[in-house]
Amino acid sequence: MLNYVIIGNSAAAIGCVEGIRKLDKDTPIVIISDEPHRTYSRPLISYRLGGQTKHDKIFYRGENFYTDNNVSTLLGKRVAKLNASSVTLSSGEEIAFGKLLVATGSKPFVPPMTGLDNVKNKFTFMDLDSSIAIDGLVTNGAKSALIVGAGLIGLKAAEALLLRGVAVTVIDMAAKVMPSVLDDEGSALIKARLEQNGAKFILGTVADKFDEATAYLKNGDKVDFDVLVLAVGVRPNTELVKEAGGEVGLGIKTDKFQKTTLDNVYAAGDCTESFDITAGKDKILALLPNAYLQGEAAGVSMAGGEMPYDKAIPMNAIGFFGLHVISAGDSMRTDGKVYAEQIKDKSGNVTGYKKLVFGENKLVGYILIDEVDRAGIYTSLIREQTSLSDVDVTELEKSPRLMLYGKSYRKEKLGGQV
Amino acid sequence: MKKVYVNEEWCLGCHLCEYYCAGMNSGERDLVKAFSREKKPLPRIRVEEGTDVNFAVQCRHCAVPYCVKGCITGALSVNDGVIVCDQTRCVGCLTCVLSCPYGCIVRDEEAHVITKCDLCLSRNATPACVEGCPNKAIVLEDRE
Ligand SMILES: Cc1cc2nc3c(=O)[nH]c(=O)nc-3n(C[C@H](O)[C@H](O)[C@H](O)COP(=O)(O)OP(=O)(O)OC[C@H]3O[C@@H](n4cnc5c(N)ncnc54)[C@H](O)[C@@H]3O)c2cc1C
């Protein structure tokens, strides 16, 4: 067979290589990515900036990964067009493929804002190069930052910059932080933790206009900054598939083997839609574990095997200054039973909470803040859609323990092969 | 491959396995000394107590390891069937805690990393929990 070609060099791409190599040890794989670096962990760009990890620890796989897996790389090259059995690079070069994976991830979404062109030090904080560039500015004396967008990426950038001693202001159109993941109570806890560590929030407003180093907000405030981070949102990179005539909805559409509607073309990761089994609908799940699992499933299929990826659920593990949040499934659902409990410290202050959301005889979502140990036991109940008739619900509400399962489960799972 | 299994009929719920695990993996051979340190050593095995049954549980070294597949840094990997964590690459994001169906990833809050059972590979010895169990409820067996 002809080469496998993968566009992208991140979690989904690496999952695909590892999936292919389960079945096919020989056929060459070509990875094409417009980023010049060997595969690195995208989430670690904030940890690198904050000094929480070192540059040489940000790489997602070891140095020999490509040679060990018979992968050749074309880095710093952009795919401009997808043809029936080849891709065309922006240089004009054509690379033929037998099977292709599109793992192009997402791109930042920057709404039009007056005067943005005047700002020199602006970044979207989506890649290693932006992290390195901001690092350079801070090292050279940048003292203040404005972050537009209080989602995961914006707040991770805020944490990193605060750790570097930079004065950080975060603004968002929404009235709370991380609105897509957290309810009001959870959101308030995260905001408070960041505030305790120096962050200033201006919520419920937008930037109207920019000068080179000043933002004028709609509410009348004026914020000066040395560095501007635009983290309003991300959108899937679907153009290549769309222009080639493949089906695209919110993201690239695939079947459960990650195949697109185009012959021999698969897609995985942030650029695709996934069927969220907890919400019962297609969604963009722009998360690293999802990207890897989809990539791996695609790789196995491309190599002729079958590994359906049909248990996609939203899930998040995030932390800011030691306050951890773990959530999974449809945790914002309000039409079913909800079990909620606050977690307090010795003086009675609320430090976190537990919220379990139930659907038709099953757990469909949860949020744990501060006390997050063994959360995966809950995730598993959701992922496997375990019937509540098979578990001890009182035990389940108390804490995530395997004791909630019956004896036969324990015999099978703890006593046998899993 | 040989793995650690716990026979819940025999588990007394005495928690000795936790002490042996934590102590032996702290690098200090003397348990008393290990537990007198300022930073208490962390067990990678955990005893669950119930009304009429107790059992210890630690990493199952799953064939489909969600922790490894979901690890955002690449710190977790499978080494000859044993799931291991390179703590120098772990940032303590806890995606593995979110992913593990058995609740077997242990947080080291102070060091901002996770730790987990590696079947005592790093000690190059029979697992401390197996050796220390007074009722032989914890065994190292090949059940494949
Ligand atoms: C700061 C930050 C923090 C994050 N934290 C977390 C977290 O804690 N947990 C979590 O689960 N997720 C997190 N994420 C999200 C996570 O990084 C993504 O879900 C994951 O990287 C998706 O992997 P992917 O392989 O689908 O795509 P990506 O990682 O987006 O990689 C796609 C690659 O393809 C390249 N590419 C695109 N188009 C082309 C083309 N035409 N030609 C050549 N190359 C192309 C891109 O440049 C990019 O390098 C974070 C993201 C950011 C930015």
Side-chain angles (χ1 to χ4, degrees):
Chain A
M1 193 186 95
L2 266 167
N3 286 348
Y4 298 102
V5 171
I6 301 175
I7 313 174
N9 183 23
S10 189
I14 299 307
C16 180
V17 170
E18 292 177 352
I20 290 172
R21 290 293 177 245
K22 280 183 204 287
L23 300 178
D24 177 350
K25 305 276 181 222
D26 305 316
T27 310
I29 301 173
V30 182
I31 281 184
I32 309 170
S33 176
D34 56 3
E35 286 191 73
H37 311 282
R38 78 176 156 101
T39 187
Y40 65 90
S41 161
R42 194 165 306 285
L44 287 191
I45 66 169
S46 81
Y47 292 80
R48 183 193 185 282
L49 177 61
Q52 298 145 285
T53 194
K54 298 227 154 47
H55 183 80
D56 64 334
K57 299 295 180 189
I58 65 166
F59 297 98
Y60 188 50
R61 290 296 182 265
E63 232 161 345
N64 299 328
F65 177 82
Y66 300 114
T67 37
D68 288 351
N69 286 287
N70 190 18
V71 176
S72 54
T73 54
L74 292 168
L75 303 182
K77 311 246 159 129
R78 191 165 176 80
V79 174
K81 191 164 170 278
L82 208 162
N83 316 306
S85 57
S86 70
V87 296
T88 310
L89 306 186
S90 27
S91 60
E93 196 184 339
E94 232 181 271
I95 315 278
F97 64 79
K99 295 258 157 66
L100 174 76
L101 178 78
V102 178
T104 46
S106 33
K107 58 171 176 287
F109 162 69
V110 182
M113 289 181 268
T114 316
L116 209 49
D117 287 345
N118 305 331
V119 182
K120 198 164 82 214
N121 295 332
K122 60 170 185 283
F123 304 90
T124 50
F125 207 55
M126 294 279 292
D127 57 20
L128 180 53
D129 286 345
S130 65
S131 176
I132 293 173
I134 298 173
D135 186 3
L137 290 172
V138 174
T139 305
N140 288 320
K143 294 268 178 302
S144 62
L146 171 64
I147 294 173
V148 181
L152 167 78
I153 295 174
L155 294 189
K156 277 314 247 186
E159 181 191 41
L161 287 163
L162 289 165
L163 284 166
R164 293 288 295 275
V166 174
V168 174
T169 305
V170 182
I171 68 168
D172 199 299
M173 194 163 73
K176 63 182 200 182
V177 307
M178 301 193 67
S180 60
V181 187
L182 291 174
D183 55 12
D184 292 354
E185 201 181 356
S187 178
L189 286 166
I190 293 293
K191 178 166 167 268
R193 180 62 62 104
L194 283 154
E195 280 170 342
Q196 281 156 21
N197 288 279
K200 185 173 170 220
F201 287 93
I202 306 175
L203 300 177
T205 192
V206 294
D208 230 1
K209 191 169 123 236
F210 288 91
D211 282 346
E212 189 183 336
T214 309
Y216 301 88
L217 311 187
K218 196 154 232 157
N219 72 351
D221 284 359
K222 183 173 145 266
V223 184
D224 295 325
F225 56 81
D226 295 330
V227 177
L228 175 66
V229 176
L230 299 161
V232 175
V234 299
R235 295 283 183 274
N237 279 319
T238 57
E239 292 74 11
L240 290 173
V241 170
K242 195 173 193 169
E243 281 159 20
E247 201 182 335
V248 171
L250 297 167
I252 299 169
K253 286 212 183 273
T254 70
D255 64 14
K256 65 180 174 194
F257 300 106
Q258 300 304 134
K259 197 175 158 305
T260 68
T261 55
L262 298 171
D263 285 345
N264 300 317
V265 179
Y266 295 72
D270 282 15
C271 61
T272 67
E273 280 178 19
S274 310
F275 182 73
D276 169 2
I277 57 169
T278 59
K281 59 177 179 213
D282 291 325
K283 273 196 190 168
I284 305 279
L285 299 177
L287 299 161
L288 195 139
N290 191 56
Y292 181 92
L293 289 164
Q294 287 185 329
E296 184 189 36
V300 169
S301 301
M302 289 160 75
E306 278 195 359
M307 184 193 228
Y309 182 58
D310 51 9
K311 288 181 186 169
I313 57 171
M315 43 185 222
N316 272 290
I318 21 180
F320 299 98
F321 295 104
L323 179 61
H324 286 279
V325 179
I326 295 190
S327 70
D330 197 3
S331 54
M332 306 282 227
R333 190 136 124 195
T334 48
D335 57 354
K337 183 185 136 184
V338 173
Y339 174 89
E341 193 185 302
Q342 286 183 327
I343 292 155
K344 296 182 180 161
D345 64 13
K346 289 191 190 90
S347 346
N349 304 314
V350 178
T351 59
Y353 69 83
K354 165 160 73 182
K355 181 172 149 191
L356 303 173
V357 183
F358 295 91
E360 312 69 43
N361 201 32
K362 56 188 187 226
L363 184 68
V364 295
Y366 72 85
I367 304 179
L368 301 181
I369 302 187
D370 203 19
E371 275 182 20
V372 298
D373 279 334
R374 309 194 81 189
I377 294 178
Y378 289 151
T379 310
S380 179
L381 289 169
I382 297 171
R383 190 194 287 126
E384 306 304 329
Q385 302 191 283
T386 308
S387 163
L388 290 183
S389 329
D390 296 337
V391 303
D392 180 339
V393 178
T394 322
E395 184 74 49
L396 185 161
E397 289 176 350
K398 234 189 294 165
S399 61
R401 297 209 302 160
L402 296 175
M403 200 63 88
L404 63 91
Y405 289 105
K407 194 177 170 65
S408 58
Y409 167 94
R410 293 203 301 272
K411 195 161 178 180
E412 180 194 341
K413 298 289 182 183
L414 304 182
Q417 279 308 311
V418 285
Chain B
M1 189 184 102
K2 280 189 176 177
K3 292 188 196 173
V4 171
Y5 295 97
V6 178
N7 185 343
E8 64 179 42
E9 272 81 36
W10 295 92
C11 177
L12 304 168
C14 69
H15 295 266
L16 268 178
C17 51
E18 295 176 351
Y19 287 95
Y20 283 112
C21 173
M24 298 304 241
N25 281 301
S26 70
E28 173 62 72
R29 296 188 70 85
D30 182 343
L31 273 193
V32 177
K33 277 195 196 146
F35 282 92
S36 329
R37 286 184 187 172
E38 199 176 324
K39 183 175 188 256
K40 296 282 167 270
L42 290 168
R44 299 137 183 220
I45 188 167
R46 192 181 325 240
V47 175
E48 286 194 23
E49 287 176 64
T51 38
D52 46 13
V53 64
N54 309 299
F55 56 86
V57 46
Q58 77 299 89
C59 175
R60 308 314 306 141
H61 300 282
C62 304
V64 180
Y66 282 109
C67 61
V68 176
K69 292 171 194 261
C71 178
I72 66 166
T73 70
L76 284 164
S77 63
V78 187
N79 184 354
D80 279 336
V82 182
I83 296 170
V84 291
C85 177
D86 174 355
Q87 289 185 329
T88 71
R89 292 166 69 197
C90 176
V91 294
C93 75
L94 309 186
T95 304
C96 50
V97 172
L98 157 74
S99 309
C100 174
Y102 305 105
C104 290
I105 303 283
V106 177
R107 299 161 62 189
D108 184 338
E109 274 182 85
E110 271 172 57
H112 301 294
V113 294
I114 62 98
T115 181
K116 62 177 295 304
C117 164
D118 65 355
L119 294 175
C120 282
L121 271 191
S122 52
R123 293 200 311 123
N124 205 2
T126 307
C129 55
V130 174
E131 292 221 305
C133 180
N135 214 25
K136 303 266 179 289
I138 308 179
V139 294
L140 183 69
E141 280 176 12
D142 191 342
R143 295 188 180 175
E144 266 162 61

